[in-house]
Amino acid sequence: MRVPLSWLREFVDIQLTPEQLAERLTLLGMEVKSVERWGADWQNVVIGELLTVDQHPRADRLHLTTVTVGDQVLSIVCGADNIAPGQRIPVALPGAVLPGDRHIERTEKMGVVSNGMLCSGDELRLTGDADGILILPDDTPLGVPLADLYGDVVLDVDVKPNRGDALSILGLAREVAAATRAEVRQPAVAVEEGSGPSSAERFGVDVRDPDLCPRFVGRWVSGVRVGPSPDWVQMRLLAAGQRPISNVVDASNYVMLELGKPIHTFDAASVGTGPDGRPLVVVRRARDGERLETLDHVGRELTADTLVIADPDRPLAVAGVMGGANSEVSDATTDIVIESAIFDPVSIRRTAFRLGLRSEASSRFEKGQEARMARLGADRTAQLLREWAGGQIAPGRVDTMPHEPSPARVSFRPARVNRLLGTELTADEQRELLARVGVETEPASAGDRVNVALKPNLLAVVPDLSRTLTALVPTWRRDIVVESDVAEEVARVRGYELVPSVTPDTLMPGFRASPLEVRQLVRETLAGAGLTEVVTSALVSPRHVEAFALAREVPSVEGEDQPGGDPIGVTNPLSRDHSLLRRNLLGSLLDVVATNLRHGTPDIAAFEIGKGYAHTGADVREWWRLGIALTGAAGEPAWNRVTRPYDLDDAKGVLELLARRLGLPALEYEPETAEPVFHPGRTARATAGDDLLAIVGEVHPDVADAWGLRTTQRVILAEVALRGLAAGRLAPERAHAVGRFQEVDRDLAIVVPETTPAAAVEALIRAHAGALLRDLSLFDIYRGVPLAADEKSLAYRLRLGAGDRTLTDPELEAAVAGVVAALPAIGGRRRA
Amino acid sequence: MDLAQLTSDLQSLRATATAAASAAPDTAALDALDVEVLGKKGGITAILRSIGGLPPADRPRLGAVGNEVRAAVEGAIAEARARLSRSELAARLAAESVDVTTPGRPVRRGSLHPIMETAREIADVFAQFGFVVYEGPEVEDDVTNFQMLNIPPDHPARDLWDTLYLDMEGRLLRTHTSPGQIRVMHQEGPPIRALLPGRCFRYEAVDASHASEFFQVEGLMVDEGTSMADLKGLLDQFAHAMFGAERPTRFRPGYYPFTEPSVAFDILCVICNGEKCPACSRTGWMTILGAGMVHPTVLRYGGIDPERYQGFAFGMGVERIANLRHHVVDLRQYMEDDLRFLGVFR
């Protein structure tokens, strides 16, 4: 809400500087977003008086004027027609700057020198009039900078949705008064009614849906002359951010800004008549399919939950949202029907959303309106129409709820207020604070209940009356309904800065482990291994989901949500690129690779811990995953290193490191040849017991091409399900006593057919080396002479030992011999 | 052969051997000398082999001389060996020297994402005050995300959360971590000190200060006497932990439907220190989180009696905190994942 200080001052005296006022309002909960100097962009614009106005010698449409600005007389060329000697006008001197960074210099116009410019209201952004020069009152002092006279300060106040009452100059004046202990001057609404038929005789009102329109106040003003509003009105509306339209429309906008009461005006001639021959305003739900062209000249199809203002035949306006073109006030309008109504907030909000028509009016209606304002708003509008448009106000008003509501009673216990706030304020102190915002208090009386909560259903307690007060909440404060609302008001008016600051010393909950323990260890391990953590968007494109779908998902560890089912889509996505929740991290990581390659970073080692999402019917599943991407040089290129590219084994090594740090069983691999995302010959399914389940492999060249990866390097991706990633604890590691007896290494080279996987050889060794085998590692793979072309030699180192003795040579040989004897079973032999 | 002759032979062997030892050019020459003089077939043994031809009375004398000469030669060789090995070592070390001023072999440096790390640091601060971490689902329903937080359908406050809705009846992507409050209340019951970090989603056009996916940390504390003063004290400590013990804070009214009273919590602008700059919209203050006393309606939806219990909640954007701590001005960088940006962080 834009608040010109000059307007605010009509309702309350302000002794503070604008900045001080802004801070006080902010500390009161009315956050001031900015303090704008209205007119700060007028430089070197002063008040002048026209001395002469003559025809330009060489241009029909230009005038040659002389102007005094007090200390000098200037000759200025001007194109406007509304000027005459003796008028006081704004003069932009040479060197002036106008809004829009428009610089004014001495110029020559058709052979005549012009020493500046006479300004229109629009050029100054002071009024809406662009056609003529802004004519100022005759008593405007000569030579004074325009900014000194018409400059203003505009506060931009962020009024929260619960304080619709403060969406007005009057409402904010009440807040200023509370902050500065000043008095609010109530708006002077003096309606000088004319003679003749009363409003009630002029027209009728038939509210057929009172649930959606609890109050309708109407007034009739006849004989208006529609035209521009007075300059000062236009200035004020512009400063408040409202474009001037005409005196009639401006009057309703002025009342909306001043009192917070949206008003609509109808051309009375367009309101159809009822059975008695008088115009009849009908307030009803629209009929399905009924149509109305709104003021923005868009044809709207209405539905049965839309409230309309209508005449007996047709809708005239969408209630609270926008008027209809068929009843719009025009230059020809003479008689006006003023509508000042209270509508159901939910209905207005729904309609505004459905029609995509959210306006200053609808945003006020949807926050709820004070019933009292209906009458006040109608009266004030009538008064302004009389003053600005010369109308005759018909006596009386039409009012469907002539009895004004009384203040609401909200009981509260000062002790509970203190318990909530952590303060020790006396009841009298609390009463005094509430009085500053117009909330009077009295001792609670029998029957008063303290409302602790209204929803899900009323929770009210019968209080100890001697320790309970009842607040009489003024009708505009619709936000104070339960005891804690009173507590906020007490704290707010006193100042949150006075709430004490203490360290909580209440009971601590029992121990509970953090669900982030495993995730944290994984993150630190991978960062330590040279990988960079990334965070990518969970919302991806349909193409993304499709391209990176796995034929066989990586299952989650037991007990966690399993992948599978249908992707979850967003019905109102910001873009198609972010319209589905991802099912795995593979595509997101490939995007990270692509982005960084594009940015000229060729070596990438990245990981992300994030979720996959899917649903089956109403069953939504979210599962945690670790994703890894490697490409480019393994190890940073340097003068003292021979670089080699990352390959599958690097990714497997990362998984093995994780398994070791987490104390998981050794990883086992199986070839994966049928996942379209991956290279069929360079991809593995990996498992470590049932604690780690992964797919790890090179990206299929087709996918790399389709994703436009600018690299000839291989890209390795992994998607890993890991026990504890979702929520898990790290079990303490189990120590093994280091034996006193030496363990012995025996090397064994085994020749097998090329097609025999190393995993099979390793399994055979483990099965046949006997109980003495402590550790087994592959340390070389050899192909070539003297082996056959389809053979390879795998060299293993067997660590053998017994905890209770040093092994003898025969024992060692027996262990090796056991393995060698079993080799033929897999078509292998010991390499001589 | 007589004693005098043999003694003389030994003495002259001693003289030539010690001279040879001190003149030896390298340890190999010493090895040879050792064999030649002291070995089983060496000079001393050869001379002493004649001992049998001496009168028995002279034999011990020659033996004594032999031992003395042997010891002297051994000493000379050892001394020479020590001298030579020092100089050989010195020569080897000299030959082995490298240019120590070249850069080392780089170890690839990983890094942790600033948003994840900031969330962890936030959790660490509150852990000191007994707050433990809980997590809730990201796919939420309207009831938990809004209605149980005292935001009924068609409430004007819904404008504060532009929502991404899902193609499943009543489901949406959580717009804040606040629905976790309801879940924790049901799961734990008072006393509660809970911290809820996580990913959130909004229908929000992306620019330097808005993201449609972002991370929040929510806090919740409920007990019989948990007051706004406790909230203020805790937030002060948090601000001091994250932004320095000297950083002034400001506690002012805010608005959330799920808290009453509601709080906005500011720190003095970290860019201008209150001088009023564009970064703080010329107010001198920066809002770092929203908070308030849990609305009694929310407590009831959480199964807690608001007449007996009360508490506070707070929620902050992790990106906001990270921006201020790391001087990031465009939060799009967090999810662009340019390694040149991320590589700066620990």
Side-chain angles (χ1 to χ4, degrees):
Chain A
M1 164 104 193
R2 288 175 57 88
V3 184
L5 277 191
S6 62
W7 201 346
L8 194 59
R9 284 200 161 97
E10 285 190 3
F11 294 93
V12 64
D13 290 330
I14 299 168
Q15 312 292 344
L16 306 170
T17 66
E19 280 69 24
Q20 287 169 332
L21 178 65
E23 187 169 10
R24 294 289 282 276
L25 281 173
T26 297
L27 291 177
L28 198 63
M30 295 290 157
E31 187 179 357
V32 177
K33 294 288 199 190
S34 68
V35 178
E36 187 184 321
R37 305 282 157 177
W38 188 250
D41 44 6
W42 309 324
Q43 294 171 27
N44 267 328
V45 182
V46 300
I47 310 302
E49 182 180 323
L50 283 162
L51 299 176
T52 62
V53 177
D54 297 308
Q55 191 63 42
H56 188 289
R58 289 163 61 184
D60 287 350
R61 274 181 283 175
L62 293 181
H63 296 288
L64 187 56
T65 71
T66 53
V67 178
T68 173
V69 292
D71 55 354
Q72 55 177 327
V73 175
L74 303 165
S75 81
I76 295 175
V77 176
C78 175
D81 292 326
N82 68 329
I83 47 176
Q87 289 171 339
R88 302 245 156 149
I89 36 73
V91 181
L93 302 173
V97 183
L98 298 185
D101 203 29
R102 184 170 169 199
H103 291 255
I104 305 301
E105 300 298 344
R106 178 171 321 211
T107 54
E108 202 184 277
K109 287 184 176 159
M110 306 290 286
V112 178
V113 170
S114 182
N115 293 297
M117 188 180 87
L118 310 187
C119 303
S120 74
D122 186 60
E123 282 162 332
L124 295 165
R125 307 241 169 104
L126 196 50
T127 72
D129 184 5
D131 294 334
I133 299 305
L134 179 65
I135 310 300
L136 301 169
D138 291 344
D139 57 355
T140 313
L142 263 189
V144 175
L146 186 71
D148 289 1
L149 298 173
Y150 292 96
D152 206 342
V153 173
V154 180
L155 305 183
D156 187 6
V157 185
D158 179 20
V159 177
K160 305 297 186 190
N162 63 330
R163 292 298 307 274
D165 64 292
L167 275 174
S168 64
I169 304 292
L170 172 64
L172 286 166
R174 285 193 293 253
E175 293 292 307
V176 172
T180 60
R181 305 201 194 200
E183 288 290 321
V184 177
R185 280 186 290 275
Q186 293 300 327
V189 183
V191 185
E192 291 180 42
E193 295 174 336
S195 52
S198 68
S199 284
E201 287 162 346
R202 292 278 199 173
F203 72 108
V205 173
D206 178 9
V207 177
R208 295 189 189 154
D209 287 297
D211 55 325
L212 299 186
C213 178
R215 186 173 197 180
F216 188 108
V217 177
R219 269 192 176 272
W220 182 285
V221 180
S222 53
V224 300
R225 283 180 307 280
V226 177
S229 296
D231 286 334
W232 70 267
V233 174
Q234 296 192 33
M235 291 176 196
R236 198 162 255 193
L237 288 174
L238 271 171
Q242 195 79 37
R243 191 94 204 139
I245 312 274
S246 70
N247 46 13
V248 176
V249 176
D250 291 354
S252 58
N253 283 335
Y254 193 93
V255 172
M256 176 179 72
L257 294 173
E258 183 182 68
L259 303 179
K261 179 78 207 79
I263 302 287
H264 191 63
T265 49
F266 296 90
D267 182 342
S270 65
V271 180
T273 53
D276 59 4
R278 293 177 305 147
L280 178 63
V281 174
V282 179
V283 185
R284 60 168 171 83
R285 286 179 165 86
R287 287 181 278 274
D288 271 328
E290 204 167 13
R291 296 189 65 85
L292 174 68
E293 182 186 338
T294 42
L295 284 176
D296 53 2
H297 301 293
V298 176
R300 311 275 176 179
E301 184 161 321
L302 307 175
T303 53
D305 53 359
T306 306
L307 189 70
V308 294
I309 313 297
D311 65 14
D313 302 322
R314 54 179 190 156
L316 302 176
V318 180
V321 177
M322 192 178 267
N326 55 13
S327 56
E328 184 177 5
V329 172
S330 71
D331 291 350
T333 301
T334 57
D335 292 1
I336 302 285
V337 170
I338 298 170
E339 166 222 304
S340 178
I342 306 296
F343 299 119
D344 174 62
V346 168
S347 163
I348 299 300
R349 183 175 163 88
R350 282 191 189 158
T351 299
F353 263 92
R354 199 180 52 249
L355 298 179
L357 277 177
R358 305 201 62 202
S359 60
E360 291 276 329
S362 73
S363 87
R364 283 174 173 80
F365 276 120
E366 69 179 39
K367 293 177 177 72
Q369 290 269 307
E370 183 193 359
R372 193 177 61 106
M373 277 296 159
R375 196 167 81 190
L376 214 54
D379 288 358
R380 179 70 168 146
T381 310
Q383 179 192 5
L384 296 180
L385 286 181
R386 182 178 171 279
E387 287 174 12
W388 302 347
Q392 289 280 317
I393 305 171
R397 44 179 109 71
V398 179
D399 189 344
T400 64
M401 191 180 89
H403 301 292
E404 299 288 358
S406 13
R409 295 175 66 84
V410 177
S411 298
F412 67 100
R413 296 156 295 183
R416 181 73 204 258
V417 169
N418 280 328
R419 173 152 78 101
L420 274 169
L421 303 180
T423 51
E424 291 170 1
L425 302 171
T426 64
D428 284 343
E429 284 171 309
Q430 297 188 23
R431 298 179 73 163
E432 189 276 325
L433 290 164
L434 292 169
R436 279 200 240 162
V437 280
V439 177
E440 298 303 326
T441 42
E442 60 183 37
S445 12
D448 280 345
R449 298 280 179 276
V450 172
N451 291 346
V452 176
L454 300 185
K455 288 176 293 182
N457 47 32
L458 177 66
L459 173 64
V461 296
V462 179
D464 173 351
L465 289 181
S466 67
R467 297 181 180 184
T468 305
L469 295 173
T470 296
L472 307 176
V473 180
T475 48
W476 58 85
R477 288 302 299 274
R478 297 164 45 92
D479 61 312
I480 302 177
V481 290
V482 294
E483 189 178 42
S484 61
D485 296 328
V486 177
E488 176 171 76
E489 216 49 28
V490 168
R492 187 175 82 89
V493 176
R494 181 166 177 256
Y496 276 23
E497 67 272 22
L498 297 179
V499 171
S501 172
V502 305
T503 302
D505 62 352
T506 52
L507 198 60
M508 292 270 279
F511 174 79
R512 184 178 190 271
S514 165
L516 308 180
E517 235 174 73
V518 172
R519 242 178 276 164
Q520 189 60 20
L521 183 73
V522 170
R523 296 174 63 232
E524 279 165 8
T525 300
L526 295 180
L531 282 78
T532 297
E533 184 178 31
V534 297
V535 173
T536 60
S537 178
L539 286 169
V540 298
S541 67
R543 172 171 171 253
H544 212 280
V545 167
E546 194 179 325
F548 292 95
L550 290 174
R552 187 158 69 88
E553 301 266 17
V554 175
S556 297
V557 299
E558 207 186 324
E560 293 184 9
D561 280 4
Q562 290 293 337
D566 301 316
I568 299 173
V570 174
T571 53
N572 59 332
L574 282 146
S575 78
R576 202 168 154 72
D577 284 346
H578 299 283
S579 58
L580 284 183
L581 283 168
R582 64 183 170 195
R583 322 241 340 222
N584 60 49
L585 303 177
L586 296 170
S588 304
L589 283 163
L590 202 61
D591 281 344
V592 169
V593 169
T595 305
N596 281 286
L597 289 174
R598 259 199 317 279
H599 293 165
T601 306
D603 306 326
I604 299 158
F607 74 97
E608 175 169 20
I609 297 175
K611 279 181 176 177
Y613 313 77
H615 77 108
T616 306
D619 172 35
V620 175
R621 294 188 298 283
E622 302 177 12
W623 56 90
W624 283 97
R625 288 299 154 92
L626 163 68
I628 293 170
L630 302 175
T631 192
E636 284 186 32
W639 68 277
N640 46 8
R641 168 181 286 131
V642 179
T643 56
R644 59 166 186 85
Y646 273 123
D647 62 20
L648 176 61
D649 286 348
D650 289 305
K652 292 196 298 191
V654 169
L655 298 186
E656 288 161 18
L657 171 68
L658 271 183
R660 292 209 306 274
R661 285 219 70 189
L662 289 164
L664 308 184
L667 274 146
E668 294 178 18
Y669 302 103
E670 274 177 30
E672 169 60 72
T673 58
E675 284 293 349
V677 178
F678 286 102
H679 189 307
R682 294 188 168 210
T683 300
R685 297 272 174 182
T687 52
D690 52 9
D691 296 325
L692 182 154
L693 308 159
I695 185 166
V696 53
E698 271 183 27
V699 172
H700 195 290
D702 286 348
V703 174
D705 283 350
W707 237 242
L709 293 188
R710 296 188 192 168
T711 182
T712 54
Q713 305 278 21
R714 300 173 186 277
V715 179
I716 296 91
L717 291 180
E719 163 105 355
V720 185
L722 186 61
R723 186 176 303 285
L725 217 48
R729 299 213 64 194
L730 294 166
E733 303 85 340
R734 179 161 192 150
H736 296 284
V738 178
R740 288 188 296 119
F741 299 97
Q742 189 133 21
E743 297 179 340
V744 181
D745 289 341
R746 279 288 182 272
D747 292 351
L748 178 59
I750 297 170
V751 179
V752 288
E754 186 66 64
T755 52
T756 305
V761 179
E762 193 175 317
L764 179 125
I765 296 173
R766 290 191 187 279
H768 291 91
L772 301 178
L773 186 67
R774 286 285 181 274
D775 198 8
L776 178 65
S777 58
L778 176 68
F779 68 90
D780 189 34
I781 299 183
Y782 175 77
R783 296 177 175 86
V785 187
L787 304 183
D790 59 352
E791 287 183 329
K792 63 187 173 189
S793 167
L794 306 175
Y796 286 94
R797 181 156 295 156
L798 288 66
R799 172 149 293 189
L800 301 159
D804 55 353
R805 64 187 192 282
T806 303
L807 295 181
T808 62
D809 278 346
E811 282 177 303
L812 295 170
E813 293 314 321
V816 172
V819 174
V820 171
L823 287 176
I826 55 165
R829 64 175 192 278
R830 183 175 192 169
R831 186 175 168 202
Chain B
M1 286 295 168
D2 61 13
L3 177 64
Q5 181 60 48
L6 291 172
T7 302
S8 162
D9 287 351
L10 281 172
Q11 293 300 358
S12 70
L13 184 56
R14 167 186 181 158
T16 55
T18 52
S22 57
D26 51 31
T27 53
L30 288 178
D31 292 342
L33 184 64
D34 191 299
V35 171
E36 186 188 318
V37 179
L38 303 173
K40 285 182 184 170
K41 296 174 181 173
I44 292 176
T45 311
I47 293 170
L48 291 180
R49 202 170 287 137
S50 309
I51 203 163
L54 289 183
D58 287 345
R59 287 177 193 168
R61 290 187 194 157
L62 186 68
V65 173
N67 287 342
E68 181 199 319
V69 168
R70 180 180 293 276
V73 173
E74 279 174 354
I77 289 176
E79 188 186 320
R81 193 182 293 280
R83 175 174 46 76
L84 282 175
S85 64
R86 271 197 305 277
S87 65
E88 279 175 17
L89 184 60
R92 197 185 95 212
L93 294 180
E96 284 174 353
S97 75
V98 296
D99 178 358
V100 298
T101 65
T102 56
R105 185 169 292 113
V107 174
R108 175 149 289 165
R109 168 199 190 291
S111 57
L112 295 172
H113 196 281
I115 292 305
M116 298 293 114
E117 273 303 271
T118 302
R120 189 186 59 75
E121 287 161 15
I122 293 167
D124 283 353
V125 172
F126 287 106
Q128 291 199 11
F129 298 95
F131 283 73
V132 295
V133 170
Y134 293 76
E135 291 183 298
E138 292 165 31
V139 174
E140 266 293 0
D141 50 51
D142 192 273
V143 172
T144 321
N145 193 76
F146 288 124
Q147 297 173 37
M148 287 182 163
L149 293 169
N150 198 29
I151 314 165
D154 302 303
H155 192 281
R158 287 216 174 194
D159 291 353
L160 300 174
W161 299 274
D162 288 320
T163 308
L164 290 166
Y165 293 96
L166 299 176
D167 53 5
M168 302 174 65
E169 181 63 32
R171 300 295 180 102
L172 45 79
L173 288 167
R174 67 175 173 195
T175 56
H176 45 189
T177 41
S178 308
Q181 289 185 30
I182 300 289
R183 294 174 186 280
V184 169
M185 285 182 208
H186 279 291
Q187 198 176 320
E188 300 293 323
I192 296 171
R193 296 190 192 195
L195 209 65
L196 292 137
R199 190 187 289 252
C200 302
F201 302 79
R202 300 236 177 122
Y203 182 86
E204 184 109 54
V206 176
D207 63 25
S209 45
H210 297 90
S212 65
E213 286 185 41
F214 56 96
F215 290 80
Q216 274 194 347
V217 175
E218 184 94 3
L220 174 69
M221 175 165 172
V222 178
D223 201 353
E224 290 184 7
T226 299
S227 73
M228 203 160 155
D230 292 324
L231 171 63
K232 191 177 191 180
L234 188 71
L235 294 182
D236 278 342
Q237 305 237 25
F238 169 71
H240 294 157
M242 297 299 275
F243 300 101
E246 307 303 315
R247 178 72 31 195
T249 61
R250 193 169 77 167
F251 204 65
R252 64 182 170 88
Y255 170 70
Y256 304 97
F258 37 88
T259 50
E260 187 73 31
S262 297
V263 173
F265 187 66
D266 304 340
I267 58 172
L268 198 68
C269 177
V270 298
I271 307 296
C272 67
N273 285 316
E275 296 295 316
K276 304 188 176 180
C277 70
C280 55
S281 303
R282 304 194 189 283
T283 62
W285 296 90
M286 292 177 141
T287 304
I288 60 167
L289 58 82
M293 300 304 292
V294 181
H295 196 286
T297 288
V298 176
L299 287 171
R300 295 194 77 204
Y301 277 118
I304 294 175
D305 176 9
E307 177 62 2
R308 178 172 172 196
Y309 292 103
Q310 57 188 40
F312 59 73
F314 55 85
M316 69 188 93
V318 180
E319 286 82 355
R320 175 84 175 146
I321 305 292
N323 282 354
L324 298 181
R325 276 167 64 80
H326 300 294
H327 299 269
V328 174
V329 291
D330 186 343
L331 59 73
R332 282 172 292 200
Q333 289 184 291
Y334 293 123
M335 279 212 193
E336 274 169 8
D337 290 311
D338 188 322
L339 298 189
R340 294 170 300 181
F341 170 75
L342 296 178
V344 169
F345 298 94
R346 276 198 279 276

